[in-house]
C-alpha cells in the first residue's frame, strides 16, 4: 500500500494518521466527479481479488494531516446485491471482504436534484453503524432548478453531517475534507443492517418522504432541457436517426481522423526500427529489439489514437447522460436475439478493438447477458483487421463499378463488416437459445438528466484506458512478441539456405505441420505461418507474409505494392477469398482471449470463445473456398 | 366511488395516473427472477404506490420499452412493456 501511495501521489505515510473512507451513492449522483474532485490524479485502479469488479482507490490529505484512502464503490440503489458490482459495494461497506481492511467512515453522495432516489440508500447506510458523512452533491444544479433545503434540519434528522457540494464546480470540497477530520466525533454503533424485503423498502420510502416534506423549503422544477432533448433523442424514428448519425461520426473519427496520428506513430516506429536494425545487422540482440520488440509492440501501440478516440466518444456519451438513451433505443432491436439493451455500447466499442469492448460489458448486471456479449464482441470488425482486408481486397478484388454507382472494393469491405455483425447476432441467438437458457432479465434504466460534460473529468477518465492499454502493451504483448520473434527466428537456417529464414524456424515447421489441416480451405503453408504471429496482432500477418515472400526493401509501401502483385501470382482467388473470410471469424487475437479471461475470471469462456470462432472460421472459409472454386471453374 | 385500476402498459404517451398496486401475478411473460424480486426492484428504482407516473415515450418496435416520468420529473426511468403490465394505476386521481 505504501508503495502505491508514494507512486501515485508522492504522499508519504510518515507521521500521518491513516483513514479508510468508502464513497457510496446511487448511479448518476455525480459520485465519480466527486471522487475525481477529491483525489485528482492520485488514483489507482485494480481488481478485487476473486471478482472482476474494478477496485478504484484514490488518496487525499486532510488539513490535519490525515491520509485518506478513498474507496470509490460501484453505484447502487440498495445495499442488497444484484450485480457483481453491487455485491462489492455491500461487502466493502459491511466489512465482509477478508482481504480488505474495514472502512472507518462512509461518505454518502446524495443527488440534491433527486433526494428521494438517494435518501433510501442513506437510511440503509445508517443501519450499518459506521460513521456517515453526507455530500449533498449537485447543489448548484438543484438551486438552479429552484430547490431549497433546510440543510441543518436534514443533518439533525439523519443525525450526521450534511455538506452541500458541487463536484463539477469544485465547491464545498474543502468543507467535505474538513469534515473528515472531525470524524471521531461521530458515533459508531453496531451493525443493524439486514436485507430489506419489499415491505421494508416501502417503509424506507415513507420515511424518506416524511424527511423530504420537512426539509424541502421550496420545490424545484425538473430539468426542462432534459424533457425537450428527450422529445428529440427518444423519438422512435428521429431518435434512432440521431443515434445512427452519432455512430457514423464515431466511425468516421476512428477510421479517418485517428489514422492521421496513427500514421505518424507508425512512421516513428518504422524509422526507430530501421535505425536500431542498422546498428548491427548480424546481432541477435539487435534483431530482437528491432524486429521483435519495436516492430511488435509498436504495431500495437499505433492503435492508441483509435482507442483514445473511441474512449472519448464513450466517455462523452456516458457523461452527458446520452448512453442510457442509446440503451433505450436499442433494447428491443437487441432483444430480438436475446441481447440486453446495455450490450449495445460494448459491441460498438468492439469495432475499434474488442478489448475495450469486453471491458465495457461490466455495466451489464446479469452474468449470462454479460457472457454472451463478451463471446460475440470479437466478431465485430476491429481496426486491426483493416490492414489485412485492405491488402487482400486491393490484390484480388478488381476496381469496378457495380450497379452503376458502387465501387466493388468498397462493397466487399462493407460486406465484411456486415458479415461480422450478422454472424455476431446469429451467434448471440444460438448462445442464448442453447447455452444460456432462461428468461430475459427485466430492463430498469434510469434516464438521468442531461449534463454538459466537464473537461477535467473527461481528461481524467480518458487517461485510464490509455494507461491500461499501454501497460498491457508493455507486459503481455511485449512478452508474446518476444516469444513469436523467437519462434520465427530459431532454429537458424543452414549456411547456404535458399529459402527465407522463417522456413527453417519453429514457426515454419509448425506451419508446414499444420498445412494439411488447412488445405481443405485453400491455405498454403505460408498463410498458416502468417496466421501464427498474427495471433499477437492481426495486422502482423501482413508483414509476416511480406517476410515469407522474401521481399527486399524497407519502405512499407514498396513492400505492400510488391506484395499485392506477388500475392496475385502466388494465390488463387478462392484462396484469397477464403483467407478474407477466415479473418472475419477467426480468433486471431491473443489479447482478446486474455482480456476475456480476466473479465470472466476463468479460462472456460476464452476457451469456448476460441473454439467457436475457430469452428465458425473453418466452416465459413471451407464454404467460401469451395463455392468460389465451383463458380470460377 | 370505486376507481377502476388500469395496467400501466395500457396507457398511451402523455397519459398519467397514480400507482395503486404492483402485482407480480399479472406478469405476461416470465422473467428470470424469484418471486417478489421484480416488485422489489421496481420499488427500489422509485416505482411505488402513491407515486404519480406519466408515460413519456415508447420505443419504435411494438412500443417497447416505455419511458416514464415519476412524481412530475423527480426521476425518469425506462422499463419494458412486459414488466409495466404488473403496475396498476388509477387515472382519476389528479396530482
Amino acid at each position: 500500500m505504501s508503495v502505491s501511495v508514494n507512486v501515485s501521489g508522492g504522499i508519504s505515510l510518515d507521521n500521518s494518521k491513516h483513514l479508510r473512507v468508502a464513497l457510496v451513492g446511487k448511479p448518476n449522483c455525480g459520485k465519480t466527479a466527486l471522487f475525481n474532485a477529491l483525489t485528482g490524479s492520485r488514483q489507482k485502479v485494480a481488481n478485487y481479488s476473486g471478482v472482476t469488479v474494478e477496485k478504484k482507490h484514490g488518496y487525499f490529505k486532510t488539513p490535519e494531516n490525515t491520509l485518506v484512502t478513498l474507496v470509490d464503490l460501484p453505484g447502487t440503489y440498495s445495499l442488497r446485491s444484484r450485480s457483481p458490482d453491487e455485491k462489492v459495494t455491500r461487502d466493502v461497506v459491511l466489512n465482509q471482504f477478508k482481504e480488505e481492511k474495514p472502512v472507518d467512515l462512509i461518505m454518502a453522495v446524495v443527488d440534491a436534484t433527486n433526494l428521494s432516489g438517494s435518501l433510501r440508500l442513506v437510511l440503509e447506510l445508517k443501519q450499518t453503524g459506521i460513521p456517515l458523512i453526507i455530500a449533498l452533491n449537485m447543489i448548484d444544479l438543484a438551486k438552479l432548478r429552484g430547490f431549497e433545503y433546510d440543510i441543518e434540519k436534514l443533518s439533525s434528522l439523519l443525525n450526521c453531517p450534511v455538506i452541500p457540494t458541487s463536484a463539477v464546480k469544485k465547491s464545498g470540497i474543502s468543507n467535505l475534507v474538513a469534515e473528515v477530520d472531525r470524524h471521531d466525533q461521530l458515533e459508531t454503533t453496531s451493525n443493524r443492517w439486514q436485507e430489506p424485503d419489499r415491505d421494508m423498502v416501502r417503509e424506507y420510502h415513507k420515511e424518506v418522504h416524511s424527511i423530504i416534506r420537512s426539509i424541502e423549503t421550496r420545490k424545484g422544477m425538473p430539468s426542462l432541457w432534459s424533457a425537450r432533448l428527450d422529445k428529440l433523442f427518444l423519438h422512435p424514428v428521429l431518435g434512432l436517426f440521431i443515434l445512427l448519425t452519432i455512430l457514423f461520426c464515431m466511425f468516421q473519427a476512428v477510421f479517418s481522423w485517428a489514422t492521421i496520428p496513427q500514421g505518424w506513430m507508425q512512421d516513428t516506429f518504422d524509422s526507430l526500427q530501421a535505425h536500431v536494425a542498422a546498428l548491427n545487422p548480424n546481432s541477435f540482440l539487435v534483431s530482437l529489439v528491432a524486429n521483435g520488440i519495436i516492430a511488435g509492440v509498436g504495431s500495437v501501440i499505433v492503435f492508441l489514437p483509435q482507442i483514445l478516440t473511441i474512449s472519448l466518444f464513450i466517455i462523452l456519451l456516458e457523461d452527458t447522460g446520452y448512453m442510457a438513451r442509446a440503451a433505450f433505443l436499442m433494447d428491443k432491436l437487441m432483444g430480438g436475439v436475446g441481447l440486453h439493451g446495455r450490450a449495445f455500447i460494448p459491441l460498438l466499442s468492439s469495432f475499434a478493438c474488442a478489448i475495450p469492448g469486453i471491458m465495457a460489458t461490466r455495466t451489464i448486471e446479469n452474468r449470462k447477458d454479460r457472457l454472451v456479449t463478451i463471446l460475440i464482441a470479437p466478431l465485430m470488425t476491429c481496426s486491426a483487421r483493416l490492414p489485412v482486408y485492405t491488402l487482400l481486397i486491393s490484390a484480388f478484388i478488381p476496381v469496378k463499378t457495380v450497379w452503376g454507382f458502387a465501387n466493388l472494393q468498397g462493397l466487399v469491405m462493407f460486406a465484411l463488416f456486415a458479415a461480422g455483425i450478422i454472424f455476431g447476432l446469429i451467434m448471440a441467438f444460438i448462445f442464448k437459445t442453447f447455452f444460456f437458457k432462461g428468461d430475459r432479465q427485466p430492463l430498469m434504466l434510469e434516464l438521468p438528466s442531461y449534463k454538459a460534460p466537464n473537461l477535467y473529468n473527461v481528461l481524467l477518465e480518458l487517461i485510464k484506458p490509455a494507461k491500461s492499454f499501454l501497460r498491457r502493451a508493455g507486459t503481455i504483448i511485449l512478452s508474446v512478441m518476444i516469444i513469436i520473434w523467437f519462434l520465427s527466428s530459431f532454429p537458424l537456417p543452414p549456411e547456404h539456405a535458399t529459402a527465407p529464414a522463417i522456413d527453417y524456424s519453429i514457426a515454419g515447421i509448425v506451419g508446414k505441420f499444420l498445412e494439411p489441416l488447412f488445405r481443405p480451405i485453400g491455405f498454403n503453408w505460408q498463410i498458416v505461418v502468417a496466421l501464427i504471429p498474427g495471433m499477437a496482432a492481426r495486422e502482423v500477418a501482413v508483414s509476416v507474409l511480406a517476410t515469407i515472400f522474401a521481399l527486399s526493401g524497407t519502405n512499407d509501401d514498396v513492400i505492400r505494392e510488391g506484395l499485392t502483385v506477388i500475392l496475385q501470382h502466388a494465390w488463387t482467388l478462392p484462396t484469397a477469398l477464403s483467407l478474407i473470410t477466415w479473418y472475419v471469424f477467426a480468433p486471431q487475437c491473443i489479447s482478446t482471449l486474455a482480456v476475456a479471461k480476466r473479465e470472466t475470471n476463468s479460462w472456460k469462456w476464452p476457451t469456448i470463445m476460441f473454439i467457436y470462432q475457430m469452428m465458425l472460421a473453418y466452416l465459413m472459409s471451407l464454404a467460401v473456398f469451395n463455392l468460389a472454386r465451383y463458380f470460377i471453374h | 366511488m370505486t376507481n377502476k385500476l388500469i395496467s400501466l402498459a395500457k396507457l398511451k404517451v402523455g397519459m398519467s395516473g397514480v400507482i395503486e398496486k404492483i402485482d407480480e401475478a399479472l406478469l405476461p411473460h416470465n422473467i428470470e427472477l424469484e418471486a417478489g424480486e421484480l416488485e422489489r426492484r421496481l420499488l427500489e428504482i422509485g416505482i411505488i404506490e402513491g407515486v404519480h407516473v406519466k408515460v413519456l415515450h415508447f420505443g419504435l418496435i411494438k412500443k417497447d420499452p416505455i419511458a416514464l416520468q415519476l412524481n412530475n420529473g423527480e426521476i425518469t426511468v425506462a422499463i419494458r412493456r412486459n414488466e409495466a403490465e404488473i403496475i396498476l394505476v388509477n387515472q382519476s386521481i389528479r396530482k
Side-chain angles (χ1 to χ4, degrees), chain A residues 80 82 116 120 195-196 198 202 205 222 240 331-333 368 438-442 444-445 447, chain B residues 30-32 37-44 48-49 60-61 64 72-74 76-78 80 83:
Chain A
R80 75 189 189 86
R82 304 184 309 209
S116 69
R120 193 176 43 79
E195 187 174 317
R198 43 192 176 177
R202 289 189 170 93
H205 263 289
L240 274 174
D331 183 67
K332 195 75 186 177
L333 288 171
K368 288 179 188 172
D439 304 306
R440 277 189 96 186
Q441 285 278 313
M444 271 178 214
L445 199 62
L447 302 170
Chain B
N30 279 335
I31 47 166
E32 198 176 89
E37 178 61 23
L38 176 62
E39 177 179 338
R40 193 154 59 153
R41 288 197 187 182
L42 289 170
L43 295 174
E44 279 172 354
I48 195 162
E49 293 86 349
L60 177 65
I61 303 168
D64 203 10
N72 297 315
E74 212 173 58
T76 308
V77 295
R80 293 205 188 106
E83 284 87 71

Side-chain angles (χ1 to χ4, degrees), chain A residues 234 324-331 445 447, chain B residues 57-59 65-67 78:
Chain A
L234 292 185
R325 274 76 183 180
F328 177 91
L329 291 170
M330 295 306 291
D331 183 67
L445 199 62
L447 302 170
Chain B
H57 305 278
F58 289 150
I66 305 172

